[in-house]
Amino acid sequence: DDFGVAAAEALADAMGTEAIEDLAAQGASSDTVHTQVRCHLRYEATEVALPVFAADIATMQRTFEAAHLQRFGFTSPEKRVFIALVEVEAEARAEAPSFANAAGCRQPATPLSRTRFYSQGAWHDAEVWQRDTLVAGQTVSGPAVIVEANQTVVVEPGWSAEMTPRGDLVLTRTAARARETIGLEADPVLLEVFASRFMGIAEDMGEALRATAQSVNIKERLDFSCAVFDRDGQLVANAPHVPVHLGSMESAVETVIRERGASLKPGDVDMLNAPYAGGTHLPDITVVTPVFLDGGTAPQFYVASRGHHADIGGTAPGSMSPDATTIEEEGVYIGCVLLVREGRFLEAETLALLTGARYPARNPAQNIADLKAQVAANARGRAELLRLVAEFGADVVASYMAHVQANAEEAVRRLIGGLKDGHFRAETDGGWAIEVAVTIDRACRTAKVDFTGTSPQQPTNVNAPAPVARAAVLYVFRVLLDAPIPLNAGCLRPIEIVIPEGSMLKPAYPAAVVAGNVETSQVITNALVAALGVLGSAQGTVNNLTFGN
């Protein structure tokens, strides 16, 4: 408000006077001092403040919201904006140093000689210049070479170099950068490049999520995962985060496409945790952001992040009750729900959802803070994908998404060709068992993973939704590969997964599922590696610890 801005202005004036006096004490003349004032703004009840140049209220708010949208992927226009701190920078600008070769003192220099250099896939004839003979304002157009006592400056074609009155050599692009023409067919070198780029985007998303989250569960314990998906919601690449998330997030993205695909708009973000619609257990909330290209009416890609929230309600703190027998006892059930609508974070609606269940979330403010962090992580992924498209073109990026999946598929097919049929039944002290038979078709290089014989749906919370079983299968076949390929949807194309209806690996609403994600998934993994004859069955637990107050 006006009072806050007036207080900031008074503070800036006092700080500016102090800074000018400090520079004067160092011998700077007052008429050479230049000051800049920045106000660091933040939304009410948030911690991150973004700097904007001091101006009138409307201008600063517009600048702040634009910066917030770019960095975090949403704005909250209904929330008050606070000035967190005022920054004043004072600089004493020294007079320009005398430059012996100033224009008018000497004639413009001429080239010393000519040479050739190789650049951008071709040889170029270039003039050779001596730097200390150039006069102020003289421009050298590339291709050229400028030599001096301690270095050589190569001026590429499409660039120019200008000598300034200060004696600086400033290089400027004079011709638009030509985009390298890349075919849509797979190139072995570019395949590795794009696989690394896609993986790097997912890793950047994870770092953004870790840096902006508030809960210990996500920020310190790193119970989260981030991934990139193609236009059909098929997994392209993920960072090496939590394995049970990675193979199951694809189901969550497919749910968003199925339920919201026709109505998705730029700036929309959806969330869900429903175990029967792509989720795993309720503490894991998946946030999905569609990526639209300029002028596009349908998403070309998707990015998603899944975070395990420290509490999502339920009968016990931490939302991991060992006594739960129905899904509502485990916390707030979230179907496919809008979290951000056209760039505006739906905070009131989200708060109502988190507090309106029979067993509501205990710390909804922290849930909302972590959800905002997930939106911010997705915004980072979206920006990086758009940067990739700007560099190579949408068709090339989409093609190489398909190529990295096909490469993973071929790697798994080669692996399958060396495997044998197998069967294993993993019994537990809870009285339930996971049974799996693996059948190998060497001619087609395919595998059938059949969970027939697995115990029926349990009255306890050890049931595991189908995406969890799928994630375990994907994980097992991926870790058997020696090739450093991204874990993606291509890994499962040669594998048929059979899960009997009514089994504990395909539970029906309202079955409890919270332990399926952390305990049953480990038993599934043990049974698979034992059936394949590559490893003995381990203890069958992830030694899960839950806590809360």
Side-chain angles (χ1 to χ4, degrees), residues 189-379:
V189 174
L190 288 175
L191 186 64
E192 293 297 323
V193 170
F194 275 95
S196 296
R197 292 288 291 268
F198 295 142
M199 181 73 78
I201 291 173
E203 290 174 344
D204 284 348
M205 292 171 62
E207 181 57 27
L209 178 52
R210 184 203 62 77
T212 54
Q214 284 192 9
S215 70
V216 171
N217 224 37
I218 293 177
K219 195 175 189 70
E220 303 291 344
R221 204 170 65 79
L222 308 181
D223 195 342
F224 63 80
S225 295
C226 301
V228 177
F229 303 82
D230 64 20
R231 71 178 65 190
D232 298 318
Q234 300 291 297
L235 179 64
V236 173
N238 58 259
H241 295 144
V242 181
V244 76
H245 291 174
L246 303 174
S248 55
M249 268 205 290
E250 189 175 87
S251 301
V253 177
E254 289 171 350
T255 295
V256 170
I257 294 173
R258 183 176 61 253
E259 297 191 11
R260 292 257 301 124
S263 58
L264 283 172
K265 297 179 181 178
D268 285 357
V269 180
D270 287 86
M271 66 172 174
L272 62 87
N273 69 355
Y276 318 103
T280 48
H281 58 189
L282 298 186
D284 284 343
I285 302 180
T286 305
V287 174
V288 180
T289 300
V291 180
F292 289 81
L293 303 184
D294 288 341
T297 58
Q300 294 300 303
F301 317 109
Y302 294 85
V303 290
S305 56
R306 174 173 287 176
H308 183 119
H309 286 237
D311 185 278
I312 196 65
T315 56
S319 307
M320 297 284 289
S321 170
D323 302 322
T325 58
T326 63
I327 195 71
E328 71 171 0
E329 294 175 334
E330 296 183 333
V332 179
Y333 187 96
I334 305 172
C336 185
V337 175
L338 262 175
L339 179 62
V340 179
R341 177 184 290 117
E342 298 183 48
R344 185 176 73 86
F345 191 91
L346 304 179
E347 185 154 345
E349 295 88 334
T350 303
L351 181 62
L353 178 63
L354 293 171
T355 57
R358 180 179 178 185
Y359 301 101
R362 292 169 176 79
N363 190 354
Q366 187 177 84
N367 294 122
I368 288 175
D370 283 346
L371 287 171
K372 288 181 176 178
Q374 289 181 250
V375 174
N378 288 7

Side-chain angles (χ1 to χ4, degrees), residues 247 250 412 470 473-474 477 488-497:
E250 189 175 87
V412 172
R470 185 178 184 277
V473 174
L474 179 58
F477 279 85
N488 60 48
C491 295
L492 280 183
R493 287 175 185 167
I495 303 171
E496 177 189 0
I497 302 175

Side-chain angles (χ1 to χ4, degrees), residues 40-41 48-51 64-75 208 211-212 372-383:
H40 292 242
L41 307 183
V48 179
L50 303 178
F64 166 71
E65 290 185 340
H68 199 279
L69 180 64
Q70 181 182 30
R71 180 168 177 180
F72 298 110
F74 67 90
T75 61
T212 54
K372 288 181 176 178
Q374 289 181 250
V375 174
N378 288 7
R380 171 74 67 85
R382 174 184 174 275

Side-chain angles (χ1 to χ4, degrees), residues 109-120:
T110 57
L112 294 176
S113 61
R114 298 186 66 84
T115 188
R116 302 180 75 213
F117 66 79
Y118 189 83
S119 171
Q120 302 175 16

Side-chain angles (χ1 to χ4, degrees), residues 1-11 39 57 60 81-83 86:
D1 54 25
D2 290 331
F3 176 77
V5 172
E9 289 175 345
L11 179 60
C39 293
I57 293 177
M60 287 198 297
V81 177
F82 286 83
I83 300 176
V86 176

Side-chain angles (χ1 to χ4, degrees), residues 37 59 62 73 103 192 305 327 364 475 488 518 522:
V37 180
T59 299
R62 283 196 305 271
E192 293 297 323
S305 56
I327 195 71
Y475 171 74
N488 60 48
V518 294
Q522 183 64 54

